[in-house]
Amino acid sequence: MASAAPLGPSATERRTPAESALKRVAGVGFEPSPAGFMINDRVEDLDALLAILREEGCTLDEKVEASESGMSRWVMDLEGNRIEPWQPPEGR
């Protein structure tokens, strides 16, 4: 006796919206990190933190993003993960 095919996506195909978003961006835009995500942290003093991270051996991207929403810079930590410390504009 043949079993009927299940209706809708299988359990392995069902994803939460967050899982679907991660699947879409996995490995895209975070190279050379193998992770499909980037850790973002709000910091009070971006320059001071970057100096510490550089001393600890982290790799800092050349470009500093600066806009009306603040300043940030991509960093590769010692485990190969991309992180983005972000300093909001003064007064926020």
Side-chain angles (χ1 to χ4, degrees):
M1 177 172 174
S3 61
L7 297 176
S10 71
T12 59
E13 294 172 333
R14 284 183 287 231
R15 294 183 183 89
T16 67
E19 290 169 330
S20 295
L22 281 175
K23 184 174 189 286
R24 284 192 302 273
V25 300
V28 177
F30 306 116
E31 293 87 7
S33 173
F37 60 89
M38 177 172 50
I39 299 168
N40 298 85
D41 282 319
R42 181 180 180 148
V43 300
E44 289 184 24
D45 188 340
L46 181 63
D47 292 330
L49 176 64
L50 293 175
I52 293 168
L53 293 174
R54 187 179 293 113
E55 286 177 16
E56 293 294 324
C58 295
T59 305
L60 282 59
D61 282 14
E62 295 297 320
K63 186 176 180 183
V64 176
E65 294 288 330
S67 70
E68 66 278 350
S69 63
M71 295 186 327
S72 66
R73 189 165 182 182
W74 284 4
V75 178
M76 293 295 287
D77 71 12
L78 298 176
E79 295 176 355
N81 300 301
R82 187 169 295 281
I83 61 173
E84 182 181 28
W86 167 72
Q87 178 181 329
E90 207 168 305
R92 281 198 189 173

